[in-house]
Amino acid sequence: MSTDPIRDKKQLRELAGYWLKQRNFRNYALIVLGVYTALRIGDLLRITWDDVYDFEAGEFRSHFTIIERKTGKQKRIALNKKAIHALHLCFASRRDKFVFSNNRKHSAPISRIQAWRIIKAAAVAVKAPGCIACHSLRKTFGYFAWKSGVLPVMLMDIYNHSSFEITRRYLGIAQEDRDEVYLGMALI
């Protein structure tokens, strides 16, 4: 079964807010960074504090670089204010080198299964429609970027997709999106 993007901004805020209200800043940051970096979950979980925080300067970095596991390509990602805020919240309780550290093992990130459980628990709690899982965060980034006018070719580049067809499927374009185009045209 394919995962869906979250198509409603209010629902997206509720999804992230679910963990924020419980003061579970790691889980909150997982959702926020998952959306704002558009990384695959395996790459997201490998982010270390050294990647995102300059310990000498005592501040969060504006960008970080990662080598994507799937493509082997280097990717430089800008961290926006919301992503930095989420990282800041969980920085004080950091346990080891990984941002999304596993509470049971020293110096290891949480597993992909645990990440799925975190996202699924929040999706169920806020009654998010569709199949919401780890990849939904990556797809949500593309969906809202596309809705705000970002060209699909830019999304193809961000995602490192080899074809537009793959990117088109990621966007999760639904009938209501098509209806908006039809009904929003004012040409004559």
Side-chain angles (χ1 to χ4, degrees), residues 90-151:
C90 62
F91 184 71
S93 61
R94 69 187 185 281
R95 293 179 46 100
D96 62 68
K97 71 178 190 169
F98 292 100
V99 172
F100 306 108
S101 67
N102 184 325
N103 293 331
R104 295 190 181 132
K105 294 180 186 172
H106 182 64
S107 198
I110 61 173
S111 68
R112 295 168 60 95
I113 293 167
Q114 184 61 20
W116 177 84
R117 286 181 188 131
I118 290 165
I119 294 162
K120 199 66 176 173
V124 167
V126 302
K127 297 177 178 65
C131 181
I132 306 301
C134 296
H135 223 57
S136 296
L137 304 179
R138 182 170 159 89
K139 289 181 176 185
T140 298
F141 170 89
Y143 179 79
F144 283 108
W146 169 71
K147 292 288 279 184
S148 71
V150 173
L151 295 175

Side-chain angles (χ1 to χ4, degrees), residues 115-187:
W116 177 84
R117 286 181 188 131
I118 290 165
I119 294 162
K120 199 66 176 173
V124 167
V126 302
K127 297 177 178 65
C131 181
I132 306 301
C134 296
H135 223 57
S136 296
L137 304 179
R138 182 170 159 89
K139 289 181 176 185
T140 298
F141 170 89
Y143 179 79
F144 283 108
W146 169 71
K147 292 288 279 184
S148 71
V150 173
L151 295 175
V153 69
M154 178 59 74
L155 293 172
M156 254 180 83
D157 182 69
I158 287 170
Y159 282 141
N160 276 328
H161 285 162
S162 58
S163 75
F164 175 69
E165 181 58 30
I166 297 168
T167 304
R168 189 186 67 75
R169 283 194 319 258
Y170 261 60
L171 298 180
I173 298 169
Q175 186 60 48
E176 57 263 17
D177 299 311
R178 291 182 196 95
D179 292 350
E180 265 184 50
V181 173
Y182 287 123
L183 298 173
M185 296 300 284
L187 302 172

Side-chain angles (χ1 to χ4, degrees), residues 47-66:
I47 296 172
T48 65
W49 286 111
D50 284 332
D51 292 332
V52 296
Y53 191 80
D54 182 341
F55 285 92
E56 282 186 27
E59 63 187 17
F60 285 95
R61 301 179 192 281
S62 62
H63 293 77
F64 73 99
T65 303
I66 192 165

